Amino acid sequence: MKIVIGVTGASGAALAAETLRQLRAAGAETHLVMTGGAHIAIAHELGPNAAAAMRGAASFAYDARELGAPLASGSFGADAMAVVPCSMRSLAAIAHGFGDNLLTRAADVMLKERRRLVLVPREAPLHEGHLKAMLALARMGAIVAPPVPPFYTKPQSVEDIVREIAARVVAWLGLEPGEAMTRWQGAPGMACEGD
Ligand SMILES: Cc1cc2nc3c(=O)[nH]c(=O)nc-3n(C[C@H](O)[C@H](O)[C@H](O)COP(=O)(O)O)c2cc1C
């Protein structure tokens, strides 16, 4: 599968790196787009060499200023795209059709071509404008999935949380995340008092 991964300047660079790692393990062809803000956040959270390592982990990598890159067009034919993590700036731009850089343009292409778009917005708390943008995107068919940990997996480390969230992004993109994702097996006998 041909997957576009957009990385913005929101907190959560580790989620992007892990999503790329899992996509590679799943055999996807990955097209990575990083904004200028992403480079700042990645360097701050993961270190000065992390952005280069992420570019190396992708099949193809682009700067968000490269508006002439193939993924700016519907004819590129990506199967799905995730923006992970997604800043409120990029979220708003995508919600309102601002194709002002390669990341927001590629996301706009996914929406107009009715292809799968997974957004992982990271901000807290959220104001009305953020929520309105998410509602608009959900109505346009995007999967809006904030990076909320599945605590029922009983994570022991930050790495566990990052792996589980990334695995869900991979699954929403339409790929099999394999052992990276712990699935709820059900809990026989678990019931609410009074039901
Ligand atoms: C270390 C760091 C963490 C940030 N975290 C967030 C965040 O979680 N959410 C957010 O919306 N913006 C966050 N920002 C601000 C964005 O990087 C900024 O709004 C930027 O213009 C986003 O542009 P982009 O979407 O083109 O990357 C953060 C900035 C820095 C430097």
Side-chain angles (χ1 to χ4, degrees):
M1 280 177 81
K2 207 192 253 189
I3 305 290
V4 179
I5 292 292
V7 185
T8 74
S11 185
L15 294 170
E18 177 62 13
T19 302
L20 266 176
R21 189 193 69 74
Q22 291 186 24
L23 285 171
R24 188 178 180 161
E29 178 184 301
T30 51
H31 294 257
L32 174 69
V33 192
M34 290 190 272
T35 64
H39 281 96
I40 296 169
I42 292 167
H44 180 75
E45 295 184 351
L46 300 181
N49 304 321
M54 282 168 62
R55 290 177 77 95
S59 314
F60 301 88
Y62 314 83
D63 188 280
R65 288 170 297 192
E66 288 179 59
L67 263 168
L71 41 159
S73 167
S75 64
F76 177 67
D79 294 292
M81 174 175 179
V83 184
V84 53
C86 184
S87 71
M88 296 302 103
R89 195 209 75 77
S90 288
L91 183 88
I94 297 165
H96 296 283
F98 279 31
D100 57 343
N101 63 38
L102 183 60
L103 187 150
T104 54
R105 171 62 188 167
D108 202 50
V109 166
M110 301 310 284
L111 290 174
K112 82 183 178 72
E113 301 289 334
R114 306 291 195 267
R115 289 175 189 250
R116 200 178 295 209
L117 176 64
V118 180
L119 301 170
V120 184
R122 213 249 42 118
E123 190 50 276
L126 300 165
H127 63 55
E128 185 177 342
H130 300 146
L131 293 164
K132 277 183 173 165
M134 289 185 211
L135 177 61
L137 286 158
R139 284 180 171 161
M140 283 187 262
I143 297 172
V144 181
V148 180
F151 288 108
Y152 57 85
T153 62
K154 301 193 171 79
Q156 301 296 308
S157 64
V158 173
E159 287 74 20
D160 283 354
I161 291 172
V162 167
R163 189 191 64 253
E164 294 283 357
I165 292 173
R168 282 156 180 77
V169 173
V170 168
W172 291 318
L173 285 167
L175 286 103
E176 174 49 59
E179 291 177 7
M181 182 164 156
T182 308
R183 292 173 197 275
W184 175 249
Q185 302 294 338
M190 191 187 273
C192 298
E193 283 289 318
D195 283 355

